[in-house]
Amino acid sequence: MTRRRPPRSASADDLLATLGLLTAKARQGAERQRARVDLAEALQREMLPETLPCVPGLQTAARYTPARDGLDIGGDWYDGFVMADGSLGFSIGDVQGHDVEAAAFMGQIRIGLRAVALAATDPGEVLARANDLLVSVARDLFATCSFLRFDPSEWVLESARAGHVPGIRATADGRCEPMQDPGGLPLGIEPGEVYPVTRRTLAEAGSFVLLTDGVIEGPAVPIETGLARVTRVVGAGAAEAVTADHMAAEVMKAAEFTGHTDDAAVLVLRHDAAAGGLRPPPPPV
């Protein structure tokens, strides 16, 4: 004798219908989030420069990697360009927040820094003017940033920092340490902020490595631990005189130890020693 299942109650049918509706909404929400993440990543990559400036005796290289889970994309950038006086300007930074809004804000900051650098060459002044510009637009977002100016005629590097993680300096003789230079508040918080400038004459061959916190910090990795690991990588690369491109790749590998829950950017400047204290200006391009 075949047993028949008892008829389902109306409440059971309602429950199944509700579950189906919630599942469909969840799928739609996931698809929308995936679309936003894809858009943020596309914006991010389109706004990063395809090439970086260099001169004889100076190699430059950079890397960007999105977050592994795809949710924390949109805030990091690097840039390099020729300034009005013929020196080279480099920036790296990280916008607070992620997703499409952060990617768009990142693009505004990157272009803003370039625009300001048409009228100012001092890194501290560049950051101060960019900061006042961002404060004036009254956005809820802010950004940390480091700005460098490389003078190829004097073989000097000037730098200023806006709340950003320290970069790393290494020389060919094996010395390597984070650059704990003084700095100011992140961009976009307080008007009239002052950004001290550190000036270094590049008498010895070496490298400067700038990075964002996604390279050195993760859920189980304190920033000090990650910074120490990357410092060792940079020191070894400088001692072996690896290329700027190779060093950027090795530093980005170190970011894997953080869990890669945030996007990450690395900018490397590898320089020769100044010849006789000064180098002649490079020929016009």
Side-chain angles (χ1 to χ4, degrees):
M1 182 178 180
T2 303
R3 294 184 178 181
R4 295 182 178 178
R5 292 182 179 179
R8 288 184 300 193
S9 65
S11 59
D13 289 335
D14 292 343
L15 177 60
L16 289 175
T18 301
L19 287 175
L21 180 61
L22 291 175
T23 300
K25 287 184 176 180
R27 185 181 298 112
Q28 292 173 359
E31 290 173 351
R32 283 195 296 268
Q33 176 61 24
R34 181 69 257 171
R36 289 178 66 87
V37 169
D38 290 343
L39 176 58
E41 185 172 357
L43 282 171
Q44 180 90 354
R45 293 194 180 279
E46 285 298 316
M47 290 179 184
L48 295 177
E50 294 184 3
T51 60
L52 293 170
C54 59
V55 295
L58 175 72
Q59 297 178 20
T60 57
R63 291 286 190 282
Y64 165 77
T65 303
R68 180 174 291 158
D69 60 12
L71 296 178
D72 288 339
I73 291 174
D76 290 15
W77 86 88
Y78 61 83
D79 198 10
F81 52 93
V82 180
M83 302 177 73
D85 64 351
S87 60
L88 307 183
F90 298 94
S91 68
I92 191 168
D94 184 1
V95 174
Q96 171 267 334
H98 302 95
D99 207 345
V100 179
E101 291 80 8
F105 190 57
M106 176 272 288
Q108 292 176 334
I109 295 174
R110 177 173 168 256
I111 298 304
L113 287 168
R114 284 190 174 224
V116 168
L118 292 174
T121 56
D122 179 84
E125 187 177 355
V126 170
L127 290 183
R129 291 191 183 190
N131 173 67
D132 290 345
L133 176 63
L134 293 175
V135 171
S136 70
V137 300
R139 294 290 299 272
D140 293 331
L141 297 175
F142 63 86
T144 66
C145 176
S146 288
F147 190 91
L148 274 64
R149 172 181 176 265
F150 176 79
D151 185 339
S153 63
E154 297 187 0
W155 219 242
V156 164
L157 189 72
E158 297 175 326
S159 61
R161 201 157 58 110
H164 200 66
V165 295
I168 300 168
R169 182 190 184 191
T171 56
D173 61 5
R175 288 178 294 165
C176 185
E177 61 182 0
M179 297 183 292
Q180 300 290 355
D181 301 333
L185 291 174
L187 304 178
I189 294 181
E190 291 287 342
E193 183 69 4
V194 175
Y195 299 94
V197 176
T198 301
R199 190 175 191 270
R200 293 178 171 91
T201 299
L202 308 181
E204 302 170 275
S207 299
F208 286 84
V209 176
L210 302 180
L211 38 80
T212 58
D213 57 6
V215 179
I216 56 177
E217 186 178 28
V221 180
I223 193 168
E224 296 81 6
T225 301
L227 185 59
R229 177 183 290 114
V230 172
T231 299
R232 291 192 295 271
V233 171
V234 172
E240 296 171 6
V242 301
T243 65
D245 191 67
H246 181 81
M247 183 174 290
E250 290 300 306
V251 170
M252 193 57 79
K253 286 180 183 177
E256 295 296 324
F257 290 95
T258 66
H260 223 333
T261 57
D262 197 358
D263 51 350
V266 174
L267 176 63
V268 177
L269 279 64
R270 182 184 180 278
H271 61 88
D272 295 342
L278 293 176
R279 283 183 171 254
V285 178

